[in-house]
Amino acid sequence: LCYMYVTDFVQHSDELEMLRGSLDQMQSGIILLDGSLNAQFMNRAVRELWHVSDETAERKPAYAELANDARNTGALGVPPEQLEEMIAGRIAVVRAGDPAPIDIPHADGRTIRSQCSVLPHGGRMVTYTDVTDLVSRANRYEQLATVDPLTGLSNRRAFDALAAAEWSRFQRYHRPLSLILMDVDRFKSINDRLGHESGDAALRHIAALCIEGKRSPDLVARIGGDEFALLLPETNSEQARKVAERVRLAIADRPSFLGDVEADDSRITVSIGIATATASMSGPGALMRAADERLYEAKKAGRNCSMVARDADGRWRDAAE
C-alpha cells in the first residue's frame, strides 16, 4: 500500500478542465497541435465550423488529415478546381508556422480568417474567426473608392491605378497599348435646357453604350464630369480607331437618351481623341496628354468625330476617313 500527496495533480487537472471548458465557450475556433502537428484539442466552435465529429476529435488526428477531410465535409466554399490548392495551402501554412492571416471562404457564405501561432514546445495554435462583416465592409469601402456612383463605371482613381499597371506591362513586354478619351458635345447646354437629371441620364446612357461597345479586356472609366476613358490593352492605333468609331456611331445613331422619345433635344454626340503608347512617352500621363490633345482637335474639327493621329503633312486625321 502506498500513500502520496496528489493535491497538485488534482488542482492542475481542475485548472485544465476549466481551461477546456472556457475554450469551448469561445465563438472563435481553436485547434491546439503538438510538435508532430496532431490535434490535441479542438474546441466546439472549430468542430462545428469544419464539421469535425466528436469521435474524430478524440482520435487526435493530424492537421493534414483534418484539412484533407474538407473534400468530404463540403465545408470549404471554393470551386472544385480550387479545392486541392486551398487544402495544400492551409497545410503548408501550419507546417511553416506562418502567422500571416488567411481568409477562407466557407460553404455557408461566411469568410473565416485563419491564423497560426507557433507554441514554445514546437506545436501550433490555429485560430478561426468569422470576419464576414469586416470583409463585406472593406469591399463596400473599396467600391466607394473606385466606382463612379452615377454610372457604375470605374472612377478616376481606379483608372489611374490600372493605367499605371498596363503601362508597366507595356514597358516590360513591349505590347501595344492605346487610350480613347471621349467628351460629350455641348454637355452644358443639355443641363441648361433639360435639367441636371437629364444630364445624368445622358451620362448613364453613354456609359452603357461604352460598355456595350468595348471588348472584354478593355477598361471603361468616367474620369471627369462628362469625360470618359477607354484603356485598350493589346491594341494598336488601327484597332483603337475601330473601337472608338463603334462607340461614337452607337451614341450618335440612338434617337434619344431619354428612351424612345423622338426629340432633337435629347440626342447627343461625343468627340473622341485616340493615342497609342510609344517608347518615347514618359508614362501614362504622357499617353493621357496625347489623347487629350487629339480630343481637343476633334472638338475644333466640328465635334462628333474621332481624331487618331497626324498624317504625313502634320495634319490631324479623322478616324472616320
Side-chain angles (χ1 to χ4, degrees), residues 207-215 218 220 230 242-244 246-247 250:
L209 292 177
C210 285
I211 293 174
E212 183 182 304
K214 81 177 189 70
R215 305 158 310 171
D218 301 338
V220 184
L230 282 83
K242 292 178 180 178
V243 174
R246 181 165 63 245
V247 173

Side-chain angles (χ1 to χ4, degrees), residues 71-115:
R71 296 186 185 88
N72 303 319
T73 61
L76 288 175
V78 297
E81 63 273 13
Q82 298 177 13
L83 187 58
E84 295 300 325
E85 182 180 357
M86 172 64 74
I87 292 172
R90 291 176 62 193
I91 295 172
V93 164
V94 171
R95 284 176 176 168
D98 188 346
I102 297 176
D103 287 349
I104 304 172
H106 197 275
D108 62 10
R110 290 181 292 167
T111 300
I112 307 300
R113 180 159 296 171
S114 169
Q115 195 157 13

Side-chain angles (χ1 to χ4, degrees), residues 72-181:
N72 303 319
T73 61
L76 288 175
V78 297
E81 63 273 13
Q82 298 177 13
L83 187 58
E84 295 300 325
E85 182 180 357
M86 172 64 74
I87 292 172
R90 291 176 62 193
I91 295 172
V93 164
V94 171
R95 284 176 176 168
D98 188 346
I102 297 176
D103 287 349
I104 304 172
H106 197 275
D108 62 10
R110 290 181 292 167
T111 300
I112 307 300
R113 180 159 296 171
S114 169
Q115 195 157 13
C116 178
S117 301
V118 178
L119 300 178
H121 63 281
R124 306 283 190 270
M125 180 174 71
V126 187
T127 58
Y128 299 91
T129 308
D130 186 344
V131 293
T132 307
D133 289 344
L134 179 64
V135 171
S136 178
R137 196 157 48 241
N139 289 338
R140 286 198 298 271
Y141 289 151
E142 177 68 17
Q143 184 174 22
L144 289 173
T146 59
V147 175
D148 172 51
L150 177 64
T151 63
L153 300 177
S154 297
N155 62 14
R156 179 61 183 264
R157 176 184 177 183
F159 174 81
D160 286 344
L162 289 169
E166 286 297 334
W167 184 265
S168 297
R169 200 166 71 90
F170 158 72
Q171 285 188 311
R172 183 177 297 115
Y173 302 112
H174 307 289
R175 304 300 300 166
L177 174 65
S178 293
L179 173 66
I180 294 173
L181 287 187

Side-chain angles (χ1 to χ4, degrees), residues 191-218:
N191 283 329
D192 292 343
R193 288 182 288 107
L194 302 176
H196 287 281
E197 288 187 2
S198 294
D200 290 347
L203 295 176
R204 287 192 292 267
H205 174 71
I206 291 174
L209 292 177
C210 285
I211 293 174
E212 183 182 304
K214 81 177 189 70
R215 305 158 310 171
S216 57
D218 301 338

Side-chain angles (χ1 to χ4, degrees), residues 47 52-59:
R47 296 198 304 271
V52 179
S53 67
D54 292 341
E55 293 77 11
T56 300
E58 289 174 3
R59 287 195 295 104

